[in-house]
């Protein structure tokens, strides 16, 4: 792209004019423009990342400033990978990821499909549906704890009203069976619109002519849906899943405010566990190793996934 | 009205779709409306059972949110002046006096400073970088772009440890500048990617014409390209602002007081006897309202920005 650009400018600019073009050279401007961003990202992202990796091989604790930093090799990693609590946390995270993504894809795609029917007033309703994803997850988590109150909360009241169950007989965030679903519900409420918008972009990218051709071939509506609509939207849908996957794997604010990881450690997702190790138990070295493992997991899964995504795109 | 088309949904399909989407939207809206309403209830109404839909509006929640209060003791009774204003009256009715302002105002102001500050820098740096990526031959460009994107995959909690240590060394911990720099860096990836998309769409011919007219590259950039990219820059700015406004993890881990924004503060609002839900709801409402108004006003641009970002990558 850039090569072409420069070629075109060179061709469009006669030699006499080129001499008159004053000021800094393109190369200097390019570095001047990109430099500050790269510098900032190196300072605030890459440098800390390298630091985290270095700390992960030590027994450093932030709250013990005077203790010497001792290198302990891979012991932090060994300890993490053999800790049953970590596996429990990973499992909770996996459950959370599975259900939120499944629900968000199903509801999000359905909504996009319906909105694409271009009924009257869809613009207004789309805006309202999109609102939750613009809000602060921590504040949202906090006010959902109010909605989930057994005695006074709106959620319990509405459920009680429609099902006849006594609203004060169950607590969404206090009960072992319901707490994981409490966070799944709020996350779905908040992020389904994101999946919906991306699906909508996908649906709108399908040219009408394809359906017209299918109609001439007498393909049934059902067949058109499965052989045209779904494959055309699939790359978009997979992209939405990638974004939601990465975001929910990092999930912290919403869950901290909603359940605080409880009851017990039932809804303790990896980020919450990591925060406790790093900023409550102050086991800095150990937490760093934990962070590296998480990063490698996200990065690895995302890379494999992107490969699959590209295959689908190229089809 | 366009002519008949095979792909145009039937009247019945439109009706069913409209009904289902409307239902979903109403259900979505219910929690938000409930929180806004709770901000205007009295503490007693807020915990009434069954939940009260019709209630006597009260500003008690807002008064509690913005003030700290002390109970009037018998020996104070003789010395205090009668209430001068309506909010002093509200507090007095509960047997309290206003002792001072609460920390909510300060936290909200921090959100404004850090939100707008970081938005300015990430859009400024992002525009420059995006222009260079869009128009010049930058060495290892694809790698740099991927690197910029990958900075978003790191969980905030993971980089927070070294940033915490680094900021402590540099004297940046719990400062506005420190948080502005941090949020600028976090938003840069989004900013560069979105803006590159917008600038790619501006025809090259405009700049070529300017260059032939004797403009320098730099002049062509700010006199020709910048005005053309204005809408793109504005919608990118809104996204950066919304992120910085809503961010919680870094704020709670790296700040303790001076530079703490509102999201970590709102959940800590506690009343005299148990959680003061109207005050919490009032705090949340004031904090959420700007974003809600933004979203409604700028919906066309916002929706385009989200899907655009998705399609690009």
């Amino acid at each position: 792209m850039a090569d072409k650009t420069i070629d075109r400018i060179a061709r469009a600019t006669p030699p006499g004019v080129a001499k008159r073009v004053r000021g800094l050279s393109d190369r200097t401007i390019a570095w001047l423009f990109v430099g500050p961003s790269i510098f900032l990202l190196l300072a605030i992202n890459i440098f800390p990342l390298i630091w985290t990796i270095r700390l992960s091989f030590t027994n450093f604790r932030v709250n013990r400033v005077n203790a010497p930093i001792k290198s302990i090799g891979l012991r932090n990693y060994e300890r993490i990978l053999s800790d049953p609590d970590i596996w429990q946390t990973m499992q909770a995270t996996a459950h959370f990821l599975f259900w939120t993504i499944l629900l968000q894809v199903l509801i999000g795609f359905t909504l996009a499909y319906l909105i694409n029917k271009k009924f009257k007033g869809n613009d207004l309703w789309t805006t309202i549906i999109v609102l939750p994803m613009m809000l602060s997850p921590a504040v949202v988590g906090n006010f959902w704890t109010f909605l989930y109150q057994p005695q006074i909360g709106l959620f319990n009241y509405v459920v009680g009203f429609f099902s006849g169950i006594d609203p004060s007989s169950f607590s969404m965030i206090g009960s072992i069976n319901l707490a994981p679903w409490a966070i799944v519900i709020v996350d779905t409420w908040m992020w389904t619109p994101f999946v919906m918008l991306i699906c909508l972009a996908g649906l709108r990218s399908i040219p009408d002519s394809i359906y017209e051709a299918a109609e001439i071939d007498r393909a049934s509506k059902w067949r058109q849906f499965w052989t045209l609509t779904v494959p055309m939207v699939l790359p978009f849908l997979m992209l939405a899943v990638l974004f939601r996957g990465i975001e929910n794997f990092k999930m912290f604010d919403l869950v901290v405010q909603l359940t605080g990881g409880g009851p017990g450690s039932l809804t303790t997702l990896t980020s919450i566990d990591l925060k406790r190790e790093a900023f409550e138990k102050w086991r800095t070295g150990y937490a760093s190793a934990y962070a590296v493992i998480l990063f490698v997991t996200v990065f690895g899964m995302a890379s494999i996934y992107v490969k699959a995504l590209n295959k689908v795109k190229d089809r | 009205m366009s002519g008949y088309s095979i792909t145009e949904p039937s009247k019945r399909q439109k009706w069913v779709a409209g009904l289902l989407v409307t239902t979903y939207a109403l259900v979505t809206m219910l929690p938000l409306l409930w929180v806004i309403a709770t901000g205007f209830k009295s503490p007693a109404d807020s915990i009434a059972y069954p939940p009260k839909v019709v209630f006597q509006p009260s500003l008690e929640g807002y008064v509690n949110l913005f003030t700290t209060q002390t109970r009037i003791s018998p020996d104070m009774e003789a010395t205090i002046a009668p209430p001068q204003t309506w909010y002093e009256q509200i507090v007095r009715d509960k047997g309290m006096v206003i002792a001072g302002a609460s920390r909510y105002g300060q936290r909200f102001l921090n959100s404004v400073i850090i939100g707008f500050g970081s938005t300015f820098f990430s859009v400024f740096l992002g525009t420059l970088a995006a222009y260079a990526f869009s128009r010049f031959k930058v060495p290892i460009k694809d790698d740099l772009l991927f690197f910029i994107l990958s900075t978003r995959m790191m969980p905030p909690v993971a980089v927070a440890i070294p940033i915490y240590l680094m900021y402590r060394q540099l004297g940046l911990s719990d400062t506005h500048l420190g948080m502005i720099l941090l949020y600028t860096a976090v938003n840069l990836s989004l900013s560069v990617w979105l803006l590159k998309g917008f600038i790619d769409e501006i025809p090259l011919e405009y700049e070529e014409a300017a260059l032939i007219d004797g403009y320098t590259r730099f002049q062509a950039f700010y006199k020709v390209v910048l005005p053309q990219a204005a809408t793109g820059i504005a919608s990118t700015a809104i996204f950066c602002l919304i992120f910085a406004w809503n961010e919680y993890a870094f704020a709670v881990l790296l700040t303790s007081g001076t530079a703490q924004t509102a999201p970590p503060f709102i959940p800590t609002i506690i009343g005299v006897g148990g959680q003061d839900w109207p005050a919490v709801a009032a705090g949340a409402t004031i904090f959420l309202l700007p974003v809600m108004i933004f979203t409604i006003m700028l919906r066309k641009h916002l929706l385009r920005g989200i899907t655009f970002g998705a399609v690009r990558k």
Side-chain angles (χ1 to χ4, degrees), chain A residues 1-3 5-6 8-9 12 17 20-23 26-27 29-31 33-34 36-38 40-49 51-52 55 60 62 107 111 114-115 117-119 123 125-139 142-147 149 151-154 157 167 188-189 192 194 197-198 201 208 211-212 215 221 236 239 243 246 250 252-253 256-257 271 274-275 278-279 282 284 287-288 291 294-295 298-299 302 313, chain B residues 5-7 9 13-14 17-18 20-22 24-32 34-35 38 46-51 125-126 128-129 131-139 141 144 146-148 150-168 181-182 184-185 188 204-205 208 211-212 214-219 221 239 242 246 248-249 252-253 263 266-267 277 280 284 287-288 291-292 295-296 299-300 302-303 306-307 310-311 313:
Chain A
M1 172 76 210
D3 309 52
T5 310
I6 288 169
R8 278 170 67 186
I9 293 173
V17 179
R20 276 193 282 121
V21 176
R22 296 156 290 127
D26 281 3
R27 210 189 164 75
I29 295 180
W31 279 117
F33 279 15
V34 177
S37 295
I38 299 295
L40 190 68
L41 288 175
L42 284 176
I44 295 192
N45 267 298
I46 299 309
F47 179 62
L49 177 61
W51 198 340
T52 302
L55 285 177
F60 179 58
V62 179
I107 304 173
L111 282 173
L114 293 173
I115 286 172
K117 297 274 176 223
K118 306 185 186 89
F119 55 88
D123 186 41
W125 299 122
T126 312
T127 310
I128 289 172
I129 291 173
V130 167
L131 270 180
M133 65 178 272
M134 301 291 179
L135 307 177
S136 166
V139 178
N142 182 237
F143 73 60
W144 270 88
T145 61
F146 175 54
L147 299 170
Q149 296 285 315
Q151 278 286 347
I152 56 173
L154 183 67
Y157 183 75
T188 304
W189 175 77
T192 297
F194 179 78
L197 283 176
I198 290 178
D208 281 358
Y211 289 108
E212 280 156 15
E215 200 72 29
K221 288 282 174 209
F236 288 85
L239 208 59
F243 289 142
I246 292 178
K250 303 195 298 188
F252 179 71
D253 29 19
V256 163
Q257 280 309 324
S271 279
L274 177 56
K275 188 244 172 182
F279 290 92
W282 298 105
T284 316
S288 298
L294 290 189
F295 183 61
V298 183
F299 204 83
K313 258 190 191 163
Chain B
S5 151
I6 296 169
T7 52
Q13 280 181 330
K14 283 190 183 206
L20 289 172
V21 173
T22 307
Y24 184 87
L26 291 176
V27 171
T28 288
M29 221 166 54
L30 197 61
L32 289 175
W34 194 254
V35 168
T38 303
S46 76
I47 55 168
Y49 179 83
L125 293 178
L128 295 183
Y131 178 73
F133 279 126
S134 174
R135 296 295 199 250
F136 296 129
K137 193 174 177 176
V138 176
K141 177 157 80 179
L144 277 180
F146 182 74
F147 154 68
I148 290 175
S150 71
T151 56
R152 249 191 138 74
M153 284 191 201
M154 203 63 179
V157 189
V159 263
I161 306 162
I163 289 177
Y164 174 83
L165 296 170
M166 188 165 90
Y167 271 22
R168 221 172 43 174
L181 285 175
L182 181 61
T184 304
L188 253 180
L204 268 172
E205 284 74 18
E208 286 165 7
L211 288 176
I212 291 168
Y215 281 32
T216 64
R217 259 290 180 186
F218 202 68
Q219 284 169 327
F221 167 65
F239 275 113
I242 289 178
N246 291 338
Y248 171 81
V252 81
L253 297 176
I266 292 173
W277 289 112
V280 174
F287 190 72
L288 301 178
V291 177
M292 284 164 69
T295 309
I296 291 167
R299 56 184 180 275
K300 290 262 156 60
L302 289 177
L303 306 193
I306 294 168
T307 44
V311 181
K313 290 168 219 160

Side-chain angles (χ1 to χ4, degrees), chain B residues 109-124 176-177 179-181 183-184 187 240-241 244:
Chain B
L109 192 67
N110 284 344
S111 280
V112 172
I113 295 169
I114 292 168
F116 281 88
S118 67
T119 300
F120 173 79
F121 285 116
S122 41
V123 172
F124 179 72
H176 292 90
L177 179 66
M179 293 312 280
I180 289 175
L181 285 175
Y183 287 168
T184 304
N187 268 330
C240 292
L241 183 64

